[in-house]
Amino acid sequence: MLTKKRTSTAPPAPHMLNRLASAVGGAVDRRTFLRRSGIAAGGAALGAVLPAGSVRKAAAAETAPTARGNIEMKRTVCTHCSVGCTVEAEVSNGVWIGQEPGNDSPFNLGAHCAKGASVREHAHGERRLKHPMKLEGGKWKRISWDEAINEVGDRLLAIREKSGPDSVYWLGSAKHSNEQAYLFRKFAAMWGTNNVDHQARICHSTTVAGVANTWGYGAMTNSYNDIHNSKAIFLIGGNPAEAHPVSMQHVLRAKEKNKAHLIVADPRFTRTAARADEYLRFRPGTDVALIWGILWHVLDNGWEDKDYIRRRVYGFDEIRQEVAKWTPDEVERVTGAPPEQLKRVAQLMASNKPGTLIWCMGGTQHSNGNNNTRAYCILQLALGNMGVSGGGTNIFRGHDNVQGATDLGVLADTLPGYYGLAEGSWKHWARVWELDEEWLKGRFAEGMMNATGIPVSRWIDGVLEDRENLEQPNTVQGMVFWGHAPNSQTRLPEMKQAMEKLDTLVVIDPYPTVTAVLHDRTDGVYLLPAATQFETSGSVTASNRSLQWREKVVEPLFESKPDHTIMTLFARKFGFENELLKNIQVNGDEPLVEDITREFNKGMWTIGYTGQSPERLKEHMKYQHHFDKTTLRAVGGPLDGEYYGMPWPCWGTAEMRHPGSANLYDTSLPVAEGGMGFRARFGVEHEGVNLLAEDSYPRGSEIEDGYPEFTMAMLKKLGWDSDLTDEERQTIERIGGDSVNWKTDLSGGIQRVAIKHGCAPYGNAKARTVVWTFPDPVPLHREPLYTPRRDLVADYPTYEDKTFWRVPTLYKSIQENDFSKDFPIILTSGRLVEYEGGGDETRSNPWLAELQQDMFVEINQADANDNGIRDGADVWVHGPNGGKVKVKAMVTDRVGRGVAFMPFHFGGHFQGKSLRDKYPDGADPIVLGESSNTAQTYGYDSVTQMQETKATLCRIEAA
């Protein structure tokens, strides 16, 4: 796009960037950035071009004279996407002076993308929020931490007293470490609300729901590295070449090693699609129809794995009935995909096994997103690609710890570990926390302890809806944005109204974010500076379920504090510090991070977060070089046989030293070595039909067939309870005796004994293709709410309006209106390589800001010519809900006719107006731009309330 700034609205380029630009003869483009950063050579040196203290090669620093003081190398993890790249930080006298990508890391293999190569800037960024501030009389005023905690605390307590605990919304972050995420969910419980959520709701909640309800766990089944073993790679709704750049080396390695066929299905010809053997363009919002069209050819030709389906899949006959409707002609009518190409894709997948299926937010952000993710899973089950190396569903998550924050329960519908909110779930965590359950219950409004909260996608409706329309005692009146970009959400004009209606608005973040400037408030807004993850330590979970331990690189800068310290200060103010930190050592105001890890190790038996002790995690970081770069398994040394980062489930206690589970549902391995069948999560039968596996079980299992989840009663029936130690038996009896199961046994004895006999603690079942508890038990195609295809609405209608997740939700009443005449172009959105998330952090980074300075819309040449639009010209993009954005036009054939694309990383402009003067002095990002979500529309998934950002409508006009 455009790399030269043409207006005077932004500040001039920083001093270092000017020097770099002059050295290379002009503006710094992406290729120049990477070359001059030394990434191509495996380092991160900018050499003599940059002044001392800039990013430098560590090896050179270690040979420097003592003038620079003692040099320490700190091993940490990039804070951007979910690949989990290691960063080797060079620190001198407490100052971070250089960095290199981790050459020993099995994940990044010595590589960085542009964002990873520039993370050092976040540790001393000049545009960070430096001290607590409040908005008073329309001006930002500096205040002390004591003032901030007391004033914010008093305001929130007043709301709680007047309107109840659910009237304050605690919005957490995918940037929390695991320990902070866990403490945040515990903190919300002690405040007395389930109105707590984070970014996962709006990126992969439909993945978690769809995948977990298919085979038991809602996460990536294999790993980036295991893609090396794939012979076919089907990638839909994702663009890892830009969104997860380092992950592309694993995809390309499969192409080099196995001559793997890369099939990319996307409405847009992306940089990933440019590397595909088969590029499949289809209409946004028609994923289910596309997948059923491919599966139609598989079934029509008998290419499905019939024996695998018999042994390991439930309900496939109902899938056959639905797929039979999706003839090649009907699929082309709905999706636009040519029949001959779909047959070719089906044959490639069927004849090149194992094959993996990858998806990202292009598949999830739809009003029927849960149907999409389940359809992807079903295609893999039909081909027998699940539970095998080189197969699986490799779901690329977005933020660095969005997987971990989800696992640790920063969600409106569960406690840590996906235990849910049922009475038994609260009893379990009360035991872990050693708290009186009645005390916890008393913190909640009557009847709300077990009630799912409002998801982050709908918090604005919690503010704006009339109280009688909400399924909670009162409206939301206090909002705490803790590490969240509001411009990543749709309906920004309505969000502005909601922010202005609130009593109190709080931002806790290293940067002010768009939250600080979107509204027109004059008071009642507080900005509290949080430390970055480089200024603390703790664990983080990569997309493949591996945990890694970050070392603290530097002490918190300016007046920033780590998230867990801020939680402690608020808990003290609110009067529950002792309960929150009962078994956690506190040094001054900061809880000991390792103690928090040990506490969730005590309770998260469901997904096996129990074996990864701080000590084991630190060992894995120390011995990164011992792990095979494809299998992730340590070869020799003190960790021999363990998988890197002990990907969950890592069963039992740390003392058991379970190696972790690299590939989920792999029955070729013993459970003790990471093997397992599908989880028996849905009972043993449904309507008289068996749900347990048949003639399928992990290698070495003493039960050579399917079996339910393990309980104490089951151990007794098998005669295996004699293997329990006296201490384990006493713990089980104290909790509940025969009714205690593998999830609630705090001793770990039930898990240990089951594994001793070769069994997975969670049972051995079939994957289910029919989810009888969902609105669509069999995945169906339903037209988007804002569809341009009015001829298809009668055949493929959306849902009836309903109230769920506490808020009224519209479906049919929107779709029955024809918006396509005034808004004829489909609008979708996605990522850029330069920026991440809402972009506040990356657009404040001078190295990245230089690479992409203008917000833009991609428009097809035919549409541009039809509307009198020239490449590079200013245009207005109007949405059906009344929002509009003024952006640059990029005329390109990347998007097909009738489709437009905008990136979602920009903020700081609103409907044609710059908001730069509303930021605190010196804290405005270098690059500002319109938020794509200002023009995006209403629309939410029927199960999870995921926002629909990939298939709405717009009108584009010359400005």
Side-chain angles (χ1 to χ4, degrees):
M1 189 51 193
L2 307 171
T3 57
K4 292 293 288 183
K5 193 68 186 172
R6 298 176 180 170
T7 70
S8 60
T9 57
H15 174 63
M16 286 191 289
L17 212 52
N18 286 334
R19 292 189 60 176
L20 180 58
S22 64
V24 300
V28 183
D29 62 14
R30 183 182 298 103
R31 188 177 300 278
T32 302
F33 173 85
L34 293 175
R35 182 172 67 250
R36 293 294 180 178
S37 296
I39 297 303
L46 293 177
V49 175
L50 298 182
S54 303
V55 179
R56 309 179 60 258
K57 190 171 179 63
E62 290 170 359
T63 62
T66 56
R68 296 177 59 213
N70 296 324
I71 304 298
E72 294 180 274
M73 296 303 295
K74 300 288 187 179
R75 182 165 283 180
T76 185
V77 177
C78 179
T79 54
H80 290 300
C81 83
S82 67
V83 174
C85 299
T86 293
V87 177
E88 303 284 2
E90 180 186 3
V91 179
S92 175
N93 296 324
V95 178
W96 188 358
I97 61 171
Q99 71 172 88
E100 287 188 3
N103 287 299
D104 291 335
S105 167
F107 294 158
N108 55 312
L109 305 173
H112 266 337
C113 70
K115 293 188 289 289
S118 61
V119 292
R120 189 181 67 90
E121 179 67 23
H122 301 323
H124 57 76
E126 295 177 1
R127 294 172 185 267
R128 277 178 55 174
L129 186 59
K130 299 179 178 64
H131 39 255
M133 308 189 82
K134 71 175 179 178
L135 194 61
E136 188 173 88
K139 302 292 184 181
W140 291 110
K141 177 183 176 182
R142 180 175 179 173
I143 58 176
S144 69
W145 269 104
D146 284 346
E147 289 175 301
I149 296 297
N150 282 321
E151 289 188 27
V152 171
D154 287 342
R155 294 178 73 113
L156 298 183
L157 285 170
I159 294 171
R160 190 180 193 279
E161 177 67 25
K162 178 182 177 182
S163 303
D166 287 313
S167 286
V168 176
Y169 198 109
W170 296 92
L171 176 50
S173 182
K175 298 302 183 189
H176 291 321
S177 67
N178 286 328
E179 290 71 22
Q180 292 166 344
Y182 169 79
L183 199 64
F184 188 84
R185 187 59 181 92
K186 186 179 180 183
F187 177 99
M190 294 183 183
W191 172 263
T193 188
N194 293 322
N195 279 340
V196 53
D197 215 3
H198 82 292
Q199 287 94 329
R201 178 70 49 201
I202 56 174
C203 61
H204 273 286
S205 63
T206 46
T207 290
V208 175
V211 175
N213 280 281
T214 299
W215 44 57
Y217 283 149
M220 177 189 268
T221 62
N222 292 43
S223 67
Y224 295 109
N225 302 70
D226 187 63
I227 297 171
H228 303 175
N229 298 315
S230 302
K231 295 182 180 178
I233 303 167
F234 186 93
L235 201 156
I236 184 168
N239 180 20
E242 294 201 71
H244 309 79
V246 173
S247 74
M248 274 300 288
Q249 67 179 321
H250 298 295
V251 173
L252 297 177
R253 182 163 294 194
K255 286 174 65 71
E256 295 165 1
K257 175 183 174 183
N258 300 328
K259 294 183 170 54
H261 299 272
L262 175 59
I263 304 153
V264 175
D266 200 296
R268 178 173 173 255
F269 187 77
T270 63
R271 291 179 180 175
T272 304
R275 305 303 299 264
D277 300 289
E278 190 82 45
Y279 168 61
L280 177 57
R281 196 193 290 274
F282 68 105
R283 178 167 66 94
T286 62
D287 297 55
V288 173
L290 184 81
I291 296 298
W292 285 170
I294 295 169
L295 189 52
W296 187 93
H297 288 288
V298 170
L299 300 179
D300 188 57
N301 289 279
W303 295 334
E304 73 274 26
D305 190 329
K306 298 178 182 63
D307 186 57
Y308 184 95
I309 293 169
R310 177 189 67 82
R311 294 182 296 111
R312 302 195 66 185
V313 181
Y314 161 83
F316 201 77
D317 285 345
E318 292 184 52
I319 301 300
R320 290 182 188 274
Q321 294 172 22
E322 177 61 25
V323 171
K325 304 172 187 175
W326 289 95
T327 63
D329 288 344
E330 183 64 2
V331 174
E332 184 175 30
R333 181 172 85 100
V334 172
T335 70
E340 63 275 11
Q341 187 178 25
L342 291 190
K343 183 175 181 179
R344 189 163 64 245
V345 167
Q347 190 164 12
L348 279 173
M349 291 293 291
S351 57
N352 292 278
K353 296 181 183 180
T356 190
L357 198 154
I358 300 168
W359 74 82
C360 305
M361 295 196 303
T364 64
Q365 290 182 329
H366 296 270
S367 55
N368 68 334
N370 74 88
N371 284 348
N372 293 346
T373 61
R374 288 188 292 138
Y376 306 152
C377 295
I378 291 166
L379 176 60
Q380 285 293 78
L381 289 168
L383 294 169
N385 274 329
M386 294 309 303
V388 295
S389 180
T393 51
N394 283 308
I395 305 143
F396 289 9
R397 302 299 296 264
H399 292 281
D400 60 313
N401 203 36
V402 70
Q403 183 64 56
T406 306
D407 298 337
L408 275 297
V410 186
L411 299 166
D413 58 340
T414 188
L415 290 164
Y418 308 99
Y419 277 82
L421 298 173
E423 184 179 352
S425 306
W426 285 104
K427 289 181 181 296
H428 169 74
W429 282 105
R431 285 191 290 268
V432 174
W433 298 334
E434 298 180 13
L435 295 175
D436 179 10
E437 187 192 356
E438 288 302 312
W439 178 84
L440 277 172
K441 189 174 182 180
R443 300 295 297 168
F444 286 79
E446 186 176 355
M448 303 307 294
M449 188 177 190
N450 309 117
T452 295
I454 298 174
V456 61
S457 54
R458 305 300 306 278
W459 77 264
I460 58 179
D461 298 294
V463 178
L464 299 176
E465 277 285 353
D466 292 336
R467 184 170 67 175
E468 56 268 24
N469 295 334
L470 298 175
E471 294 182 340
Q472 68 174 41
N474 215 320
T475 58
V476 173
Q477 297 158 35
M479 189 73 197
V480 181
F481 278 85
W482 204 316
H484 180 89
N487 50 313
S488 62
Q489 294 182 233
T490 56
R491 301 166 58 201
L492 284 184
E494 289 170 271
M495 185 182 293
K496 179 178 183 294
Q497 296 174 30
M499 287 180 173
E500 291 165 357
K501 189 176 179 181
L502 290 167
D503 174 89
T504 303
L505 178 60
V506 183
V507 177
I508 305 174
D509 199 283
Y511 295 84
T513 77
V514 172
T515 310
V517 299
L518 179 61
H519 53 82
D520 290 326
R521 298 177 65 108
T522 58
D523 53 32
V525 184
Y526 291 81
L527 307 178
L528 309 185
T532 70
Q533 290 301 324
F534 300 119
E535 296 154 76
T536 185
S537 61
S539 65
V540 59
T541 305
S543 201
N544 73 309
R545 296 166 287 106
S546 286
L547 278 69
Q548 299 183 96
W549 190 268
R550 285 184 174 124
E551 287 186 277
K552 180 192 285 188
V553 178
V554 292
E555 292 297 321
L557 297 187
F558 313 115
E559 293 182 22
S560 68
K561 294 181 184 293
D563 289 345
H564 50 289
T565 298
I566 301 172
M567 292 176 213
T568 300
L569 295 174
F570 274 121
R572 186 175 301 159
K573 172 68 177 178
F574 297 148
F576 54 76
E577 179 188 7
N578 291 339
E579 289 79 7
L580 182 71
L581 303 169
K582 184 174 183 179
N583 295 304
I584 297 168
Q585 179 181 324
V586 181
N587 300 312
D589 295 328
E590 183 173 6
L592 182 65
V593 172
E594 287 84 350
D595 274 0
I596 305 175
T597 316
R598 294 183 188 102
E599 184 169 289
F600 68 65
N601 287 159
K602 287 171 56 180
M604 291 179 64
W605 304 96
T606 41
I607 55 174
Y609 258 78
T610 51
Q612 306 98 331
S613 66
E615 293 75 20
R616 292 187 75 189
L617 289 171
K618 292 174 185 179
E619 278 187 311
H620 278 233
M621 298 302 287
K622 178 180 179 180
Y623 293 106
Q624 279 185 338
H625 57 292
H626 287 192
F627 292 90
D628 184 271
K629 301 306 188 284
T630 294
T631 66
L632 294 180
R633 204 161 195 179
V635 181
L639 307 178
D640 187 35
E642 296 186 12
Y643 294 105
Y644 179 66
M646 294 160 284
W648 63 261
C650 181
W651 302 113
T653 62
E655 290 70 29
M656 278 181 58
R657 294 202 74 91
H658 187 271
S661 307
N663 298 330
L664 295 178
Y665 319 121
D666 184 353
T667 57
S668 71
L669 294 173
V671 177
E673 296 178 22
M676 68 197 79
F678 294 122
R679 182 177 172 184
R681 187 176 184 178
F682 316 111
V684 297
E685 67 174 22
H686 179 66
E687 296 181 347
V689 179
N690 174 46
L691 296 176
L692 301 180
E694 299 178 38
D695 304 321
S696 176
Y697 45 87
R699 185 162 63 87
S701 173
E702 293 182 24
I703 302 177
E704 296 184 343
D705 210 348
Y707 48 87
E709 64 178 5
F710 274 78
T711 64
M712 180 60 170
M714 183 171 166
L715 285 187
K716 288 181 176 180
K717 288 180 180 178
L718 292 167
W720 297 352
D721 62 306
S722 59
D723 292 327
L724 293 168
T725 67
D726 290 342
E727 184 178 356
E728 290 168 343
R729 186 182 295 275
Q730 290 169 10
T731 299
I732 293 168
E733 290 301 325
R734 185 178 70 251
I735 294 170
D738 286 2
S739 65
V740 176
N741 62 39
W742 63 284
K743 304 186 293 286
T744 57
D745 169 20
L746 298 186
S747 76
I750 293 176
Q751 290 197 8
R752 184 185 62 79
V753 171
I755 293 170
K756 178 181 178 180
H757 292 273
C759 296
Y762 68 18
N764 180 27
K766 293 181 175 180
R768 64 172 183 173
T769 61
V770 179
V771 181
W772 53 84
T773 55
F774 275 18
D776 296 326
V778 171
L780 301 178
H781 167 65
R782 293 183 182 272
E783 280 294 302
L785 299 191
Y786 296 85
T787 176
R789 293 291 304 275
R790 304 305 302 175
D791 57 312
L792 296 175
V793 170
D795 294 333
Y796 305 107
T798 188
Y799 308 93
E800 296 291 330
D801 297 353
K802 61 179 179 178
T803 295
F804 69 132
W805 295 85
R806 301 194 187 185
V807 291
T809 307
L810 308 179
Y811 293 97
K812 183 179 178 181
S813 62
I814 290 179
Q815 194 184 67
E816 64 187 11
N817 299 292
D818 184 0
F819 296 95
S820 63
K821 294 176 182 177
D822 295 326
F823 303 93
I825 296 177
I826 299 172
L827 177 62
T828 187
S829 65
R831 295 173 182 265
L832 300 175
V833 70
E834 297 90 350
Y835 298 139
E836 196 245 356
D840 299 283
E841 185 175 290
T842 44
R843 286 183 289 107
S844 297
N845 186 320
W847 309 106
L848 300 174
E850 185 73 10
L851 301 180
Q852 183 62 60
Q853 297 184 16
D854 290 292
M855 172 58 174
F856 62 92
V857 59
E858 291 181 358
I859 181 173
N860 183 268
Q861 183 176 1
D863 295 320
N865 291 339
D866 289 345
N867 290 278
I869 292 169
R870 299 290 297 270
D871 184 53
D874 287 339
V875 295
W876 284 103
V877 181
H878 296 265
N881 288 172
K884 61 180 182 178
V885 296
K886 187 178 181 182
V887 299
K888 299 290 185 182
M890 176 186 278
V891 179
T892 175
D893 289 333
R894 289 181 192 169
V895 289
R897 190 167 188 166
V899 176
F901 164 89
M902 288 196 292
F904 57 72
H905 307 299
F906 289 82
H909 286 182
F910 185 70
Q911 301 193 120
K913 179 183 177 182
S914 172
L915 306 178
R916 190 176 292 278
D917 62 351
K918 297 175 73 172
Y919 284 91
D921 288 344
D924 51 323
I926 297 167
V927 171
L928 302 183
E930 295 271 14
S931 301
S932 64
N933 282 315
T934 300
Q936 287 276 1
T937 51
Y938 192 101
Y940 300 98
D941 178 71
S942 62
V943 172
T944 72
Q945 293 274 11
M946 162 70 77
Q947 61 188 15
E948 185 164 49
T949 64
K950 297 299 187 272
T952 189
L953 296 175
C954 70
R955 180 178 71 254
I956 304 177
E957 302 171 342

